[in-house]
Amino acid sequence: MPLLDGSVGVEDLVLLEPLVEESLLQNLQLRYESKEIYTYIGNVVISVNPYQQLPIYGPEFIAKYQDYTFYELKPHIYALANVAYQSLKDRDRDQCILITGESGSGKTEASKLVMSYVAAICGKGEQVNSVKEQLLQSNPVLEAFGNAKTIRNNNSSRFGKYMDIEFDFKGSPLGGVITNYLLEKSRVVKQLKGERNFHIFYQLLAGADAQLLKALKLERDTTGYAYLNQEVSRVDGLDDASSFRAVQSAMAVIGFSEEEIQQVLEVTSMVLKLGNVLVADEFQANGTPASGIRDGRAVREIGETVGLNSEELERALCSRTMETAKEKVVTTLNVMQAQYARDALAKNVYSRLFDWIVNRINESIKVGIGEKKKVMGVLDIYGFEILEDNSFEQFVINYCNEKLQQVFIEMTLKEEQEEYKREGIPWTKVDYFDNGIICNLIEHNQRGILAMLDEECLRPGVVSDSTFLAKLNQLFSKHGHYESKVTQNAQHQYDHTMGLGCFRICHYAGKVTYNVTNFIDKNNDLLFRDLSQAMWKAQHPLLRSLFPEGNPKQASLKRPPTAGAQFKSSVAILMKNLYSKNPNYIRCIKPNEHQQRGQFSSDLVATQARYLGLLENVRVRRAGYAYRQGYGPFLERYRLLSRSTWPHWNGGDREGVEKVLGELSMSSGELAFGKTKIFIRSPKTLFYLEEQRRLRLQQLATLIQKIYRGWRCRIHYQLMRKSQILISAWFRGNVQKKHYGKIKASVLLIQAFVRGWKARKNYRKYFRSEAARTLADFIYKSMVQKFLLGLKNNLPSTNILDVVTKTWPAAPYKCLSTANQELRQLFYQWKCKRFRDQLSPKQVEILREKLCASELFKGKKASYSQSVPIPFCGDYIGLQGNPKLQKLKGGEEGPVLMAEAVKKVNRGNGKTSSRILLLTKGHVILTDTKKFQAKIVIGLDNVTGVSVTSLKDGLFSLHLSELSSVGSKGDFLLVSEHVIELLTKMYQAVLDATQRQLAVTVTEKFSVRFKENSVAVKVIQGPAGGDNSKLHCKKKGSRCLEVTVQ
Ligand SMILES: Nc1ncnc2c1ncn2[C@@H]1O[C@H](COP(=O)(O)OP(=O)(O)O)[C@@H](O)[C@H]1O
Ligand SMILES: [Mg+2]
């Protein structure tokens, strides 16, 4: 039931009102004009050829149809393919998809849609994909070799094809088997007006590159080939060149090796060239007509291509060896016979090549033995054909269609109605046409047309097509579905459409007049043995393998089965195969004869609808039930829906089914209980049941999961609990053990103490008190004694002049190390005191001066360290013995502390001049070195400070108080070689004289007063290595004096 709103007409003809032919056609037309080409009758799909590409195919639609059930979306071939595939997968039922309809009604396209749908939705994976690819790629190859342009269809299949796709239990494709039926091989040598030979010839010429053409000795121009119809070498909408490339790559995908492809093309080109073998009249010596090859080129080229001796081929084409048990007779053939032989060879080579290709494909896609498989068969067989001139081919094609119609009738109309009767379901019979009688007419083993034909072929004596016809006329003179000129005459009918050499059969799909000409020949399908033997001798492996009977060792005189008999038996096998599977129908309808889009010829469609039995189909469907199944399997599938039947049911199957369906409260009209089966009227109900089952399965899965999870958790918990108990038991035990150990140790300790205490208490009276301290004192004292005695013996040298030895013995006990340190210090202090005590007052004075110098300059001035070892001698100019110099002292009392030659730096220009400096207790006296008279006398109380550099130089500045008479002129900048001694003595003299500490500043930058101004002195370290006393003054401007010292 269509669930979609806005559908055009009715989507399922079961719902059609009123149910008459007119409304059925109107409905189809209405839908066709709205581009709704698919319509259902229940689960049968009717497809009306749109002759245009509609946007209703492709992955998007495939995905959609995969997700919905049959009636939920618009009618589509995908929906049918989906049902078939799902049923195959879920219900394990082999399926077949029967596509029927006239030639050009869209069967092949429908079969491709089914295959592409199944390929898209079935399993995935590398291997599966390669199988799918191979299955899909078999199409272009088979179409190239087996399809041709006909008047009705530009891509008409000229062979029947049944393809079994085999799946594993998961529904992934494993491979397949292709069966082909009777290729229309007469097309190889002759085509009707407006038709073409098989596609591959045109594809090869158009698509092969120059190199390949050359290798095959072909020319691109189709006009050069007698077998190719010259009028229509191109077909609109077909691109031969690109199809050729597609065929080549498809063959490679399927697994053809490069050599195999090459060989196939070589044999194909051989067939083409056979057409160019021209036979001409010749006469033998005795005057009987014979034949010969006129232009040897074609034969030569064939010979070169397939490795065949061209003379041998020529002989085989133009003569015939008759062989009896006793002798061999060679007869020459006349031109007609030779042409016949040539064409027969071409047809045979081509049709055998086609069979070989099908077998080769089967080899690639075949499934390994032993793999359990399910099968989906797709049947795309040539459609019913009524041509102007119908021959043997049309006869077998139409016979096959007749059989398919029979399958349809048997399985949908007859079987169904009979089943209702059998099962005791109330039923009003629907009439339909049963074509069994026509099938019988053709195929009856003794009295069928095919049997008659075989009989004629095998009968000794003069046999011809007309003797065959005469036989038919005689046998079927009264048959309702057989007519001929003779039977018509007998009934005094006049029919100008009936030729003399014709008979007519009223097929289910219409009357067809067959011309008996060549029936015998085509049925015999004779190929002279000379030709098959010649082919077998070819070097070409493929060609050779096509003619096994040419092997003289295998030669048999037995006739091969006739074409008709072969076809009949393969159709019988096919029928058996189809009956064993669940059928799914696609009924194709051709809307017009002109391959025009949008044109809907009611008459044409009405004819087809009539013979397809669409109305009857709808009637049976309407009154009938969509689904039936035995009680057993039905109960097995659905018993989980009821609590009474699940999980255990002990009653009978039927009661069980009643119980299940009763609980689901189905409406009574929906169900019918037969004797062995349950019938369900509408698919909706079935879908409902399936949905319920799916939900229930989910519930059950959840239940199983729940119980399993619960069980797993419980086991886990129990394990954890057991482990926990074990761990805590061990832990507690351990704690207790430790605790006990502690208590035990404590008890023992207490016991020991108590025992000790008791023992001491008992024995105390025997001990003297204070003994321990006395002992300790004694021990300590003896340690000290030992220490001191050891120290005495190891004392370092007491010689005061020995300052080198500073070792001191280590304390024997650690507790005495502090005392030891103190003793060491005492020792050295004592040694120092002894040294000091033995010094004379003068030495003391000298050392005091040295001490003062160290306090003033140690670590401050670089030249200090040099001055340390040199004793201060005070007089450096020999003052003592020089009364002249003594005078300089003037009236000054006391000794001269320091007498030295110094340099005075002229503050004005930086030049130096020599002076003698005397330091007395109260003054500093500067005199000229030559004149020896005091030039400047400076009272020490006027000296405010001195500045020296930190370097090794002797420069110093004498800062004077401004108030003094000398000082008003400014400070002195002097250079002394004994600057450390001089300044130390000056410091002490100032301290003695004025109780004031002279400020001694160590700096590189100081300022000296010069009259009223001050001059900044900057001392710079000159390059090393010069004379210490050298210094160089440079005036920089009026306020700056730069002194470079070494
Ligand atoms: N579903 C379709 N969509 C579009 N065109 C179609 C469809 N079915 C058939 N045709 C057209 O009709 C032509 C004949 O179809 P085909 O399947 O070869 O017919 P049949 O096999 O019945 O002889 C195709 O070549 C194509 O052009
Ligand atoms: Mg076809």
Side-chain angles (χ1 to χ4, degrees):
M1 192 159 305
L3 300 180
L4 288 172
D5 292 333
S7 62
V8 183
V10 288
E11 291 184 344
D12 191 336
L13 293 178
V14 171
L15 302 175
L16 192 67
E17 264 329 318
L19 183 56
V20 288
E21 188 177 287
E22 207 181 5
S23 63
L24 188 144
L25 291 177
Q26 267 172 8
N27 189 54
L28 286 182
Q29 179 161 12
L30 181 68
R31 289 178 62 73
Y32 183 72
E33 279 159 5
S34 313
K35 298 188 177 161
E36 298 287 349
I37 58 165
Y38 300 119
T39 308
Y40 292 144
I41 300 177
N43 51 5
V44 174
V45 176
I46 299 171
S47 155
V48 187
N49 191 344
Y51 287 119
Q52 60 180 310
Q53 283 310 321
L54 298 178
I56 53 170
Y57 308 110
E60 210 178 293
F61 282 85
I62 290 177
K64 218 159 97 186
Y65 278 88
Q66 193 181 353
D67 292 341
Y68 288 89
T69 53
F70 198 72
Y71 293 102
E72 281 178 295
L73 296 174
K74 286 182 179 179
H76 203 297
I77 287 188
Y78 286 164
L80 175 120
N82 193 43
V83 165
Y85 178 72
Q86 297 305 343
S87 166
L88 171 116
K89 206 166 105 176
D90 300 343
R91 291 170 184 264
D92 205 7
R93 278 188 73 177
D94 286 352
Q95 303 289 321
C96 65
I97 293 170
L98 301 182
I99 309 170
T100 53
E102 289 191 16
S103 176
S105 56
K107 298 183 296 298
T108 307
E109 294 298 321
S111 81
K112 285 193 252 180
L113 288 173
V114 169
M115 280 179 56
S116 60
Y117 181 84
V118 173
I121 64 163
C122 65
K124 303 225 157 36
E126 210 171 298
Q127 177 148 16
V128 171
N129 284 346
S130 101
V131 171
K132 279 186 204 173
E133 244 338 83
Q134 288 184 333
L135 291 174
L136 291 177
Q137 290 298 321
S138 66
N139 266 335
V141 179
L142 292 180
E143 285 194 4
F145 285 88
N147 286 22
K149 176 201 160 31
T150 65
I151 308 167
R152 289 166 175 73
N153 181 354
N154 287 347
N155 182 30
S156 178
S157 322
R158 306 319 298 164
F159 68 106
K161 182 175 118 184
Y162 173 75
M163 181 167 189
D164 264 338
I165 310 172
E166 300 175 334
F167 299 86
D168 65 6
F169 69 97
K170 299 194 299 290
S172 302
L174 295 168
V177 189
I178 298 172
T179 317
N180 60 316
Y181 298 96
L182 205 67
L183 180 75
E184 186 202 38
K185 60 186 171 190
S186 60
R187 182 170 296 274
V188 174
V189 299
K190 191 162 176 269
Q191 304 94 38
L192 292 180
K193 206 164 175 306
E195 300 200 346
R196 279 208 321 184
N197 208 328
F198 291 101
H199 291 327
I200 186 66
F201 296 115
Y202 303 91
Q203 291 176 351
L204 175 60
L205 295 184
D209 54 30
Q211 201 186 346
L212 180 58
L213 278 184
K214 197 169 162 221
L216 298 175
K217 301 189 174 55
L218 291 174
E219 285 156 21
R220 202 171 291 287
D221 188 6
T222 53
T223 52
Y225 297 97
Y227 279 164
L228 301 185
N229 196 339
Q230 306 311 331
E231 295 159 27
V232 274
S233 56
R234 296 253 171 286
V235 181
D236 286 346
L238 290 187
D239 179 354
D240 288 324
S242 72
S243 300
F244 181 68
R245 284 185 285 277
V247 169
Q248 277 181 312
S249 77
M251 284 170 112
V253 169
I254 294 166
F256 282 68
S257 68
E258 294 242 338
E259 293 91 76
E260 282 173 328
I261 298 176
Q262 182 68 18
Q263 287 175 18
V264 166
L265 296 178
E266 279 164 4
V267 174
T268 312
S269 73
M270 171 192 169
V271 174
L272 257 189
K273 279 184 221 145
L274 268 177
N276 289 0
V277 174
L278 289 183
V279 197
D281 281 323
E282 268 180 19
F283 291 95
Q284 278 184 303
N286 61 8
T288 49
S291 55
I293 306 297
R294 195 189 292 159
D295 174 8
R297 185 173 154 213
V299 172
R300 211 171 41 249
E301 282 179 359
I302 291 173
E304 283 166 16
T305 316
V306 298
L308 194 64
N309 184 339
S310 51
E311 278 158 30
E312 187 128 19
L313 178 61
E314 199 174 329
R315 195 166 49 244
L317 281 171
C318 299
S319 62
R320 183 178 177 192
T321 311
M322 301 291 253
E323 216 172 323
T324 60
K326 287 181 200 135
E327 55 176 350
K328 262 188 189 175
V329 184
V330 180
T331 53
T332 51
L333 301 179
N334 62 26
V335 173
M336 287 285 284
Q337 289 169 323
Q339 277 173 354
Y340 174 84
R342 179 199 65 194
D343 288 350
L345 178 63
K347 288 191 279 188
N348 262 288
V349 169
Y350 190 79
S351 74
R352 288 176 193 218
L353 174 68
F354 187 72
D355 290 344
W356 181 88
I357 290 173
V358 172
N359 282 336
R360 179 66 190 77
I361 294 176
N362 279 338
E363 226 170 79
S364 280
I365 61 177
K366 87 168 166 229
V367 179
I369 331 162
E371 283 185 72
K372 186 174 177 329
K373 56 210 175 190
K374 303 176 202 177
V375 179
M376 179 184 286
V378 181
L379 180 71
D380 167 27
I381 208 145
Y382 17 50
F384 193 80
E385 270 181 1
I386 311 177
L387 306 181
E388 261 173 43
D389 185 23
N390 303 292
S391 182
F392 182 71
E393 287 82 6
Q394 278 67 47
F395 177 70
V396 286
I397 287 174
N398 291 346
Y399 159 59
C400 179
N401 279 280
E402 199 72 62
K403 289 296 285 180
L404 285 177
Q405 174 68 4
Q406 194 180 25
V407 176
F408 179 74
I409 290 170
E410 295 264 341
M411 284 171 109
T412 55
L413 305 178
K414 190 169 163 193
E415 166 62 22
E416 181 142 347
Q417 301 201 58
E418 281 175 4
E419 186 169 32
Y420 293 142
K421 229 157 70 192
R422 241 189 351 262
E423 290 284 333
I425 308 278
W427 182 254
T428 341
K429 194 163 184 298
V430 175
D431 280 329
Y432 58 90
F433 169 68
D434 185 350
N435 71 343
I437 182 164
I438 308 174
C439 296
N440 240 339
L441 170 69
I442 301 171
E443 69 176 359
H444 191 278
N445 274 346
Q446 283 89 40
R447 293 166 45 88
I449 296 177
L450 286 173
M452 291 302 115
L453 187 58
D454 277 0
E455 211 176 282
E456 275 304 284
C457 289
L458 300 175
R459 184 168 65 84
V462 184
V463 183
S464 72
D465 294 321
S466 46
T467 58
F468 162 61
L469 183 59
K471 202 164 189 168
L472 294 189
N473 287 338
Q474 186 201 343
L475 204 60
F476 303 121
S477 59
K478 297 264 155 31
H479 200 290
H481 291 82
Y482 179 87
E483 273 180 23
S484 73
K485 202 83 193 164
V486 178
T487 60
Q488 282 177 350
N489 287 345
Q491 290 168 13
H492 308 292
Q493 286 177 357
Y494 176 70
D495 183 355
H496 69 278
T497 57
M498 178 75 82
L500 251 184
C502 300
F503 67 92
R504 184 178 288 163
I505 292 180
C506 298
H507 284 289
Y508 76 101
K511 292 182 177 182
V512 185
T513 311
Y514 298 100
N515 189 338
V516 289
T517 315
N518 288 338
F519 258 58
I520 299 275
D521 255 358
K522 286 178 177 169
N523 190 41
N524 265 331
D525 191 21
L526 265 191
L527 181 70
F528 298 145
R529 190 166 299 131
D530 302 68
L531 286 170
S532 50
Q533 281 175 353
M535 293 299 111
W536 188 80
K537 282 189 194 136
Q539 303 284 306
H540 198 266
L542 172 58
L543 182 64
R544 196 182 155 94
S545 73
L546 297 182
F547 290 88
E549 82 272 22
N551 185 350
K553 282 185 201 141
Q554 285 185 3
S556 89
L557 296 174
K558 218 179 121 206
R559 286 181 73 99
T562 60
Q566 272 183 34
F567 189 74
K568 194 174 121 184
S569 72
S570 56
V571 165
I573 295 171
L574 173 67
M575 293 304 134
K576 207 171 143 205
N577 199 343
L578 296 183
Y579 279 121
S580 72
K581 297 188 164 81
N582 183 45
N584 302 272
Y585 293 97
I586 301 173
R587 320 224 79 190
C588 297
I589 287 181
K590 193 159 71 169
N592 60 67
E593 288 280 15
H594 318 290
Q595 307 185 36
Q596 286 297 317
R597 64 167 68 173
Q599 249 187 47
F600 191 90
S601 155
S602 290
D603 288 344
L604 188 68
V605 178
T607 323
Q608 296 173 68
R610 221 168 290 145
Y611 73 66
L612 288 175
L614 296 189
L615 264 183
E616 292 88 338
N617 194 183
V618 177
R619 283 204 190 100
V620 172
R621 184 82 205 173
R622 242 192 207 188
Y625 295 84
Y627 180 78
R628 74 233 40 209
Q629 197 171 28
Y631 287 120
F634 186 89
L635 184 63
E636 201 44 49
R637 190 166 180 84
Y638 297 108
R639 75 196 176 93
L640 45 77
L641 292 182
S642 157
R643 294 225 175 269
S644 0
T645 51
W646 178 265
H648 301 294
W649 172 250
N650 295 325
D653 289 343
R654 182 178 172 144
E655 291 75 37
V657 172
E658 277 168 0
K659 197 117 209 156
V660 173
L661 294 175
E663 276 182 28
L664 289 172
S665 55
M666 302 259 175
S667 78
S668 59
E670 273 296 303
L671 305 171
F673 289 87
K675 285 180 187 146
T676 62
K677 287 181 181 169
I678 169 80
F679 291 78
I680 294 175
R681 190 175 293 281
S682 71
K684 237 173 125 184
T685 311
L686 188 68
F687 293 142
Y688 171 73
L689 275 176
E690 277 294 300
E691 185 59 20
Q692 291 301 314
R693 181 173 181 272
R694 197 178 60 79
L695 293 177
R696 179 76 180 127
L697 278 177
Q698 273 177 4
Q699 272 176 15
L700 289 176
T702 318
L703 186 74
I704 292 170
Q705 281 180 356
K706 195 173 84 183
I707 290 174
Y708 171 74
R709 290 214 183 100
W711 171 82
R712 211 176 54 181
C713 284
R714 209 170 55 241
I715 294 286
H716 186 63
Y717 164 75
Q718 281 173 347
L719 204 71
M720 283 207 326
R721 186 160 177 266
K722 238 160 99 179
S723 314
Q724 184 271 326
I725 290 172
L726 196 72
I727 293 169
S728 44
W730 275 91
F731 180 78
R732 281 201 205 101
N734 208 22
V735 166
Q736 287 302 327
K737 220 149 79 186
K738 267 192 188 158
H739 187 59
Y740 169 76
K742 253 187 199 162
I743 291 175
K744 193 175 167 190
S746 312
V747 166
L748 287 178
L749 195 69
I750 293 168
Q751 276 183 0
F753 264 108
V754 171
R755 287 209 195 97
W757 173 73
K758 271 188 181 166
R760 274 196 301 281
K761 200 172 153 193
N762 284 339
Y763 287 96
R764 179 148 308 148
K765 51 187 173 247
Y766 304 113
F767 295 149
R768 273 199 275 157
S769 59
E770 297 288 310
R773 200 184 312 147
T774 315
L775 276 171
D777 274 358
F778 174 77
I779 290 167
Y780 183 68
K781 276 178 188 157
S782 69
M783 272 161 68
V784 170
Q785 190 183 27
K786 187 179 170 194
F787 164 58
L788 291 176
L789 284 175
L791 196 60
K792 184 187 148 216
N793 293 336
N794 290 322
L795 264 189
S797 151
T798 51
N799 184 356
I800 50 167
L801 292 176
D802 184 4
V803 287
V804 185
T805 335
K806 283 203 168 172
T807 53
W808 187 258
Y813 306 105
K814 208 174 171 189
C815 58
L816 297 172
S817 56
T818 322
N820 194 32
Q821 279 302 323
E822 275 173 17
L823 281 171
R824 177 185 180 170
Q825 214 146 357
L826 270 176
F827 178 80
Y828 282 111
Q829 278 169 5
W830 167 78
K831 213 168 152 186
C832 289
K833 176 145 186 344
R834 273 190 53 203
F835 176 74
R836 284 200 303 273
D837 289 351
Q838 54 97 37
L839 289 177
S840 66
K842 195 159 182 205
Q843 278 173 314
V844 171
E845 195 52 39
I846 289 169
L847 284 173
R848 197 165 276 152
E849 274 183 343
K850 282 280 176 191
L851 181 67
C852 180
S854 110
E855 278 163 4
L856 286 176
F857 297 109
K858 186 176 178 185
K860 293 177 187 165
K861 187 153 173 72
S863 56
Y864 168 73
S865 49
Q866 287 169 1
S867 76
V868 174
I870 303 164
F872 294 163
C873 74
D875 179 6
Y876 292 95
I877 52 172
L879 189 73
Q880 232 43 0
N882 194 337
K884 230 176 172 180
L885 291 173
Q886 288 277 5
K887 260 196 261 170
L888 287 176
K889 202 171 95 176
E892 192 79 32
E893 281 185 19
V896 174
L897 301 175
M898 181 89 184
E900 189 193 5
V902 297
K903 286 196 177 120
K904 175 174 170 282
V905 180
N906 192 331
R907 293 155 299 187
N909 54 14
K911 292 196 176 138
T912 53
S913 50
S914 294
R915 292 282 189 277
I916 288 173
L917 183 145
L918 300 182
L919 174 69
T920 64
K921 283 195 163 180
H923 295 91
V924 176
I925 303 164
L926 280 172
T927 62
D928 205 315
T929 41
K930 289 164 195 153
K931 293 177 185 162
F932 297 113
Q933 59 187 30
K935 205 175 182 191
I936 299 163
V937 179
I938 306 160
L940 284 181
D941 48 355
N942 289 331
V943 178
T944 54
V946 288
S947 293
V948 285
T949 72
S950 67
L951 307 170
K952 284 186 175 167
D953 62 301
L955 181 74
F956 70 97
S957 139
L958 218 51
H959 302 291
L960 303 178
S961 157
E962 281 177 52
L963 302 176
S964 68
S965 55
V966 194
S968 61
K969 283 188 187 167
D971 300 341
F972 285 95
L973 205 52
L974 300 166
V975 180
S976 154
E977 283 181 21
H978 308 95
V979 70
I980 302 282
E981 183 180 350
L982 174 63
L983 294 183
T984 306
K985 287 196 165 153
M986 197 181 293
Y987 176 84
Q988 277 183 333
V990 170
L991 191 65
D992 289 346
T994 64
Q995 262 69 52
R996 173 170 65 92
Q997 285 190 341
L998 183 65
V1000 180
T1001 316
V1002 182
T1003 174
E1004 259 73 67
K1005 272 185 196 162
F1006 50 89
S1007 62
V1008 284
R1009 267 189 318 105
F1010 179 41
K1011 293 181 187 154
E1012 261 76 57
N1013 303 319
S1014 66
V1015 174
V1017 179
K1018 193 173 164 201
V1019 184
I1020 300 167
Q1021 172 80 57
D1027 190 346
N1028 268 1
S1029 56
K1030 265 272 168 62
L1031 99 181
H1032 177 72
C1033 301
K1034 200 170 158 197
K1035 194 82 198 290
K1036 289 217 161 173
S1038 61
R1039 296 288 182 90
C1040 186
L1041 187 65
E1042 197 174 86
V1043 185
T1044 310
V1045 297
Q1046 294 304 320

